[in-house]
PDB file of all heavy atoms in Angstrom:
ATOM      1  N   ASP A   1       0.866  -1.254  -0.031  1.00 98.00           N
ATOM      2  CA  ASP A   1       0.013  -0.008   0.013  1.00 98.00           C
ATOM      3  C   ASP A   1       0.879   1.241  -0.036  1.00 98.00           C
ATOM      4  O   ASP A   1       1.674   1.478   0.882  1.00 98.00           O
ATOM      5  CB  ASP A   1      -0.907   0.057   1.267  1.00 98.00           C
ATOM      6  CG  ASP A   1      -1.910  -1.107   1.206  1.00 98.00           C
ATOM      7  OD1 ASP A   1      -2.310  -1.455   0.067  1.00 98.00           O
ATOM      8  OD2 ASP A   1      -2.362  -1.585   2.206  1.00 98.00           O
ATOM      9  N   PHE A   2       0.775   2.063  -1.073  1.00 98.00           N
ATOM     10  CA  PHE A   2       1.674   3.147  -1.287  1.00 98.00           C
ATOM     11  C   PHE A   2       0.822   4.441  -0.949  1.00 98.00           C
ATOM     12  O   PHE A   2      -0.303   4.656  -1.457  1.00 98.00           O
ATOM     13  CB  PHE A   2       2.018   3.184  -2.765  1.00 98.00           C
ATOM     14  CG  PHE A   2       2.878   4.310  -3.209  1.00 98.00           C
ATOM     15  CD1 PHE A   2       4.240   4.061  -3.311  1.00 98.00           C
ATOM     16  CD2 PHE A   2       2.433   5.570  -3.585  1.00 98.00           C
ATOM     17  CE1 PHE A   2       5.154   5.048  -3.774  1.00 98.00           C
ATOM     18  CE2 PHE A   2       3.303   6.500  -4.071  1.00 98.00           C
ATOM     19  CZ  PHE A   2       4.666   6.282  -4.128  1.00 98.00           C
ATOM     20  N   HIS A   3       1.390   5.280  -0.043  1.00 98.00           N
ATOM     21  CA  HIS A   3       0.810   6.621   0.319  1.00 98.00           C
ATOM     22  C   HIS A   3       1.965   7.612   0.336  1.00 98.00           C
ATOM     23  O   HIS A   3       2.846   7.506   1.123  1.00 98.00           O
ATOM     24  CB  HIS A   3       0.112   6.526   1.701  1.00 98.00           C
ATOM     25  CG  HIS A   3      -1.025   5.495   1.770  1.00 98.00           C
ATOM     26  ND1 HIS A   3      -2.167   5.905   1.351  1.00 98.00           N
ATOM     27  CD2 HIS A   3      -0.996   4.236   2.189  1.00 98.00           C
ATOM     28  CE1 HIS A   3      -3.052   4.786   1.508  1.00 98.00           C
ATOM     29  NE2 HIS A   3      -2.268   3.741   2.056  1.00 98.00           N
ATOM     30  N   ALA A   4       1.848   8.651  -0.513  1.00 98.00           N
ATOM     31  CA  ALA A   4       2.794   9.698  -0.491  1.00 98.00           C
ATOM     32  C   ALA A   4       2.153  11.034  -0.833  1.00 98.00           C
ATOM     33  O   ALA A   4       1.118  11.147  -1.384  1.00 98.00           O
ATOM     34  CB  ALA A   4       3.900   9.377  -1.622  1.00 98.00           C
ATOM     35  N   THR A   5       2.933  12.060  -0.446  1.00 97.00           N
ATOM     36  CA  THR A   5       2.430  13.488  -0.677  1.00 97.00           C
ATOM     37  C   THR A   5       3.555  14.231  -1.378  1.00 97.00           C
ATOM     38  O   THR A   5       4.737  14.209  -1.011  1.00 97.00           O
ATOM     39  CB  THR A   5       2.127  14.204   0.649  1.00 97.00           C
ATOM     40  OG1 THR A   5       1.093  13.411   1.333  1.00 97.00           O
ATOM     41  CG2 THR A   5       1.682  15.612   0.434  1.00 97.00           C
ATOM     42  N   ALA A   6       3.113  14.913  -2.440  1.00 96.00           N
ATOM     43  CA  ALA A   6       4.017  15.865  -3.112  1.00 96.00           C
ATOM     44  C   ALA A   6       3.723  17.272  -2.726  1.00 96.00           C
ATOM     45  O   ALA A   6       2.478  17.644  -2.867  1.00 96.00           O
ATOM     46  CB  ALA A   6       3.902  15.665  -4.681  1.00 96.00           C
ATOM     47  N   GLY A   7       4.690  18.010  -2.272  1.00 93.00           N
ATOM     48  CA  GLY A   7       4.405  19.399  -1.863  1.00 93.00           C
ATOM     49  C   GLY A   7       4.059  19.252  -0.343  1.00 93.00           C
ATOM     50  O   GLY A   7       4.456  18.336   0.391  1.00 93.00           O
ATOM     51  N   SER A   8       3.227  20.252   0.122  1.00 90.00           N
ATOM     52  CA  SER A   8       2.904  20.333   1.511  1.00 90.00           C
ATOM     53  C   SER A   8       1.834  19.293   1.883  1.00 90.00           C
ATOM     54  O   SER A   8       0.957  18.915   1.134  1.00 90.00           O
ATOM     55  CB  SER A   8       2.422  21.749   1.898  1.00 90.00           C
ATOM     56  OG  SER A   8       1.160  21.969   1.476  1.00 90.00           O
ATOM     57  N   ALA A   9       1.786  18.992   3.178  1.00 83.00           N
ATOM     58  CA  ALA A   9       0.760  18.002   3.615  1.00 83.00           C
ATOM     59  C   ALA A   9      -0.653  18.558   3.534  1.00 83.00           C
ATOM     60  O   ALA A   9      -1.606  17.816   3.332  1.00 83.00           O
ATOM     61  CB  ALA A   9       1.098  17.583   5.072  1.00 83.00           C
ATOM     62  N   THR A  10      -0.774  19.865   3.651  1.00 85.00           N
ATOM     63  CA  THR A  10      -2.088  20.445   3.704  1.00 85.00           C
ATOM     64  C   THR A  10      -2.661  20.813   2.290  1.00 85.00           C
ATOM     65  O   THR A  10      -3.833  20.716   2.049  1.00 85.00           O
ATOM     66  CB  THR A  10      -2.206  21.753   4.595  1.00 85.00           C
ATOM     67  OG1 THR A  10      -1.080  22.592   4.188  1.00 85.00           O
ATOM     68  CG2 THR A  10      -1.941  21.290   6.126  1.00 85.00           C
ATOM     69  N   THR A  11      -1.711  21.267   1.403  1.00 89.00           N
ATOM     70  CA  THR A  11      -2.234  21.772   0.093  1.00 89.00           C
ATOM     71  C   THR A  11      -1.530  20.970  -1.006  1.00 89.00           C
ATOM     72  O   THR A  11      -1.743  21.273  -2.189  1.00 89.00           O
ATOM     73  CB  THR A  11      -1.887  23.218  -0.123  1.00 89.00           C
ATOM     74  OG1 THR A  11      -0.494  23.417  -0.048  1.00 89.00           O
ATOM     75  CG2 THR A  11      -2.576  24.107   0.958  1.00 89.00           C
ATOM     76  N   GLY A  12      -0.821  19.966  -0.735  1.00 93.00           N
ATOM     77  CA  GLY A  12      -0.128  19.182  -1.769  1.00 93.00           C
ATOM     78  C   GLY A  12      -1.018  18.096  -2.435  1.00 93.00           C
ATOM     79  O   GLY A  12      -2.182  18.044  -2.206  1.00 93.00           O
ATOM     80  N   THR A  13      -0.254  17.382  -3.261  1.00 95.00           N
ATOM     81  CA  THR A  13      -0.915  16.228  -4.011  1.00 95.00           C
ATOM     82  C   THR A  13      -0.727  14.908  -3.274  1.00 95.00           C
ATOM     83  O   THR A  13       0.426  14.596  -2.951  1.00 95.00           O
ATOM     84  CB  THR A  13      -0.370  16.221  -5.433  1.00 95.00           C
ATOM     85  OG1 THR A  13      -0.696  17.454  -6.060  1.00 95.00           O
ATOM     86  CG2 THR A  13      -1.046  15.186  -6.202  1.00 95.00           C
ATOM     87  N   THR A  14      -1.709  14.155  -3.025  1.00 97.00           N
ATOM     88  CA  THR A  14      -1.587  12.832  -2.466  1.00 97.00           C
ATOM     89  C   THR A  14      -1.601  11.774  -3.507  1.00 97.00           C
ATOM     90  O   THR A  14      -2.469  11.813  -4.508  1.00 97.00           O
ATOM     91  CB  THR A  14      -2.655  12.551  -1.425  1.00 97.00           C
ATOM     92  OG1 THR A  14      -4.011  12.640  -2.014  1.00 97.00           O
ATOM     93  CG2 THR A  14      -2.709  13.530  -0.295  1.00 97.00           C
ATOM     94  N   PHE A  15      -0.702  10.819  -3.412  1.00 98.00           N
ATOM     95  CA  PHE A  15      -0.585   9.672  -4.330  1.00 98.00           C
ATOM     96  C   PHE A  15      -0.852   8.427  -3.506  1.00 98.00           C
ATOM     97  O   PHE A  15      -0.184   8.183  -2.529  1.00 98.00           O
ATOM     98  CB  PHE A  15       0.810   9.599  -4.908  1.00 98.00           C
ATOM     99  CG  PHE A  15       1.237  10.638  -5.885  1.00 98.00           C
ATOM    100  CD1 PHE A  15       1.582  11.899  -5.461  1.00 98.00           C
ATOM    101  CD2 PHE A  15       1.151  10.385  -7.211  1.00 98.00           C
ATOM    102  CE1 PHE A  15       1.887  12.872  -6.373  1.00 98.00           C
ATOM    103  CE2 PHE A  15       1.508  11.330  -8.177  1.00 98.00           C
ATOM    104  CZ  PHE A  15       1.816  12.672  -7.680  1.00 98.00           C
ATOM    105  N   THR A  16      -1.807   7.687  -3.895  1.00 98.00           N
ATOM    106  CA  THR A  16      -2.222   6.407  -3.253  1.00 98.00           C
ATOM    107  C   THR A  16      -2.253   5.338  -4.281  1.00 98.00           C
ATOM    108  O   THR A  16      -2.557   5.550  -5.457  1.00 98.00           O
ATOM    109  CB  THR A  16      -3.608   6.486  -2.480  1.00 98.00           C
ATOM    110  OG1 THR A  16      -4.580   6.758  -3.465  1.00 98.00           O
ATOM    111  CG2 THR A  16      -3.469   7.490  -1.337  1.00 98.00           C
ATOM    112  N   GLY A  17      -1.861   4.163  -3.903  1.00 98.00           N
ATOM    113  CA  GLY A  17      -1.928   2.984  -4.831  1.00 98.00           C
ATOM    114  C   GLY A  17      -1.322   1.779  -4.279  1.00 98.00           C
ATOM    115  O   GLY A  17      -1.252   1.648  -3.032  1.00 98.00           O
ATOM    116  N   THR A  18      -0.899   0.878  -5.236  1.00 98.00           N
ATOM    117  CA  THR A  18      -0.352  -0.410  -4.790  1.00 98.00           C
ATOM    118  C   THR A  18       0.921  -0.809  -5.589  1.00 98.00           C
ATOM    119  O   THR A  18       0.894  -0.526  -6.780  1.00 98.00           O
ATOM    120  CB  THR A  18      -1.442  -1.535  -5.081  1.00 98.00           C
ATOM    121  OG1 THR A  18      -2.675  -1.216  -4.282  1.00 98.00           O
ATOM    122  CG2 THR A  18      -0.960  -2.886  -4.479  1.00 98.00           C
ATOM    123  N   LEU A  19       1.865  -1.275  -4.867  1.00 98.00           N
ATOM    124  CA  LEU A  19       3.118  -1.722  -5.440  1.00 98.00           C
ATOM    125  C   LEU A  19       3.075  -3.241  -5.535  1.00 98.00           C
ATOM    126  O   LEU A  19       2.639  -3.968  -4.614  1.00 98.00           O
ATOM    127  CB  LEU A  19       4.325  -1.256  -4.776  1.00 98.00           C
ATOM    128  CG  LEU A  19       4.469   0.237  -4.569  1.00 98.00           C
ATOM    129  CD1 LEU A  19       5.811   0.551  -3.835  1.00 98.00           C
ATOM    130  CD2 LEU A  19       4.456   0.938  -5.983  1.00 98.00           C
ATOM    131  N   THR A  20       3.795  -3.725  -6.633  1.00 97.00           N
ATOM    132  CA  THR A  20       4.179  -5.203  -6.570  1.00 97.00           C
ATOM    133  C   THR A  20       5.692  -5.065  -6.479  1.00 97.00           C
ATOM    134  O   THR A  20       6.294  -4.018  -6.235  1.00 97.00           O
ATOM    135  CB  THR A  20       3.783  -5.887  -7.830  1.00 97.00           C
ATOM    136  OG1 THR A  20       4.624  -5.353  -9.049  1.00 97.00           O
ATOM    137  CG2 THR A  20       2.253  -5.831  -8.128  1.00 97.00           C
ATOM    138  N   ALA A  21       6.462  -6.197  -6.574  1.00 95.00           N
ATOM    139  CA  ALA A  21       7.845  -6.145  -6.464  1.00 95.00           C
ATOM    140  C   ALA A  21       8.553  -5.359  -7.541  1.00 95.00           C
ATOM    141  O   ALA A  21       9.694  -4.954  -7.487  1.00 95.00           O
ATOM    142  CB  ALA A  21       8.456  -7.644  -6.397  1.00 95.00           C
ATOM    143  N   THR A  22       7.838  -5.170  -8.694  1.00 97.00           N
ATOM    144  CA  THR A  22       8.484  -4.528  -9.844  1.00 97.00           C
ATOM    145  C   THR A  22       7.692  -3.298 -10.434  1.00 97.00           C
ATOM    146  O   THR A  22       8.258  -2.587 -11.215  1.00 97.00           O
ATOM    147  CB  THR A  22       8.771  -5.513 -11.033  1.00 97.00           C
ATOM    148  OG1 THR A  22       7.463  -6.104 -11.368  1.00 97.00           O
ATOM    149  CG2 THR A  22       9.636  -6.669 -10.547  1.00 97.00           C
ATOM    150  N   SER A  23       6.448  -3.148 -10.120  1.00 98.00           N
ATOM    151  CA  SER A  23       5.623  -2.096 -10.694  1.00 98.00           C
ATOM    152  C   SER A  23       4.588  -1.593  -9.650  1.00 98.00           C
ATOM    153  O   SER A  23       4.323  -2.241  -8.706  1.00 98.00           O
ATOM    154  CB  SER A  23       5.007  -2.531 -12.001  1.00 98.00           C
ATOM    155  OG  SER A  23       4.101  -3.564 -11.793  1.00 98.00           O
ATOM    156  N   GLY A  24       3.981  -0.471 -10.073  1.00 98.00           N
ATOM    157  CA  GLY A  24       2.984   0.096  -9.187  1.00 98.00           C
ATOM    158  C   GLY A  24       2.078   1.033  -9.977  1.00 98.00           C
ATOM    159  O   GLY A  24       2.420   1.508 -11.097  1.00 98.00           O
ATOM    160  N   ASN A  25       0.876   1.242  -9.405  1.00 98.00           N
ATOM    161  CA  ASN A  25      -0.069   2.221 -10.033  1.00 98.00           C
ATOM    162  C   ASN A  25      -1.096   2.664  -9.007  1.00 98.00           C
ATOM    163  O   ASN A  25      -1.217   2.036  -7.941  1.00 98.00           O
ATOM    164  CB  ASN A  25      -0.691   1.639 -11.313  1.00 98.00           C
ATOM    165  CG  ASN A  25      -1.552   0.443 -10.982  1.00 98.00           C
ATOM    166  OD1 ASN A  25      -2.585   0.504 -10.316  1.00 98.00           O
ATOM    167  ND2 ASN A  25      -1.062  -0.726 -11.464  1.00 98.00           N
ATOM    168  N   GLY A  26      -1.790   3.705  -9.365  1.00 98.00           N
ATOM    169  CA  GLY A  26      -2.781   4.214  -8.432  1.00 98.00           C
ATOM    170  C   GLY A  26      -3.381   5.533  -8.880  1.00 98.00           C
ATOM    171  O   GLY A  26      -3.341   5.884 -10.055  1.00 98.00           O
ATOM    172  N   THR A  27      -3.877   6.265  -7.906  1.00 98.00           N
ATOM    173  CA  THR A  27      -4.520   7.595  -8.248  1.00 98.00           C
ATOM    174  C   THR A  27      -3.878   8.677  -7.433  1.00 98.00           C
ATOM    175  O   THR A  27      -3.097   8.417  -6.426  1.00 98.00           O
ATOM    176  CB  THR A  27      -6.022   7.555  -7.868  1.00 98.00           C
ATOM    177  OG1 THR A  27      -6.119   7.288  -6.521  1.00 98.00           O
ATOM    178  CG2 THR A  27      -6.736   6.525  -8.662  1.00 98.00           C
ATOM    179  N   TRP A  28      -3.991   9.932  -7.928  1.00 98.00           N
ATOM    180  CA  TRP A  28      -3.484  11.056  -7.225  1.00 98.00           C
ATOM    181  C   TRP A  28      -4.537  12.150  -7.204  1.00 98.00           C
ATOM    182  O   TRP A  28      -5.439  12.178  -8.003  1.00 98.00           O
ATOM    183  CB  TRP A  28      -2.178  11.589  -7.833  1.00 98.00           C
ATOM    184  CG  TRP A  28      -2.330  12.129  -9.322  1.00 98.00           C
ATOM    185  CD1 TRP A  28      -2.153  11.309 -10.428  1.00 98.00           C
ATOM    186  CD2 TRP A  28      -2.718  13.401  -9.693  1.00 98.00           C
ATOM    187  NE1 TRP A  28      -2.417  12.165 -11.574  1.00 98.00           N
ATOM    188  CE2 TRP A  28      -2.692  13.458 -11.143  1.00 98.00           C
ATOM    189  CE3 TRP A  28      -2.970  14.573  -9.049  1.00 98.00           C
ATOM    190  CZ2 TRP A  28      -2.959  14.591 -11.886  1.00 98.00           C
ATOM    191  CZ3 TRP A  28      -3.177  15.723  -9.805  1.00 98.00           C
ATOM    192  CH2 TRP A  28      -3.225  15.702 -11.191  1.00 98.00           C
ATOM    193  N   GLU A  29      -4.445  12.956  -6.201  1.00 97.00           N
ATOM    194  CA  GLU A  29      -5.507  14.097  -6.020  1.00 97.00           C
ATOM    195  C   GLU A  29      -4.863  15.255  -5.346  1.00 97.00           C
ATOM    196  O   GLU A  29      -4.160  15.136  -4.368  1.00 97.00           O
ATOM    197  CB  GLU A  29      -6.687  13.526  -5.255  1.00 97.00           C
ATOM    198  CG  GLU A  29      -7.725  14.616  -5.099  1.00 97.00           C
ATOM    199  CD  GLU A  29      -8.924  14.138  -4.220  1.00 97.00           C
ATOM    200  OE1 GLU A  29      -8.740  13.257  -3.364  1.00 97.00           O
ATOM    201  OE2 GLU A  29      -9.996  14.684  -4.422  1.00 97.00           O
ATOM    202  N   ASN A  30      -5.186  16.486  -5.845  1.00 94.00           N
ATOM    203  CA  ASN A  30      -4.908  17.645  -5.173  1.00 94.00           C
ATOM    204  C   ASN A  30      -6.266  18.341  -4.960  1.00 94.00           C
ATOM    205  O   ASN A  30      -6.778  19.044  -5.850  1.00 94.00           O
ATOM    206  CB  ASN A  30      -3.950  18.580  -5.974  1.00 94.00           C
ATOM    207  CG  ASN A  30      -3.691  19.878  -5.239  1.00 94.00           C
ATOM    208  OD1 ASN A  30      -4.466  20.551  -4.857  1.00 94.00           O
ATOM    209  ND2 ASN A  30      -2.353  20.106  -5.125  1.00 94.00           N
TER     210      ASN A  30
END
């Protein structure tokens, strides 16, 4: 389970998704 933020925690973009051992994908939202 992948959870990351680009920029600030309050106004930044959140990336969520799933990784396998070699690849990953998901959604992002600002």
Side-chain angles (χ1 to χ4, degrees):
D1 292 330
F2 182 98
H3 299 277
T5 302
S8 77
T10 54
T11 61
T13 300
T14 57
F15 289 79
T16 58
T18 305
L19 300 181
T20 68
T22 59
S23 64
N25 61 67
T27 59
W28 62 270
E29 179 182 28
N30 182 307

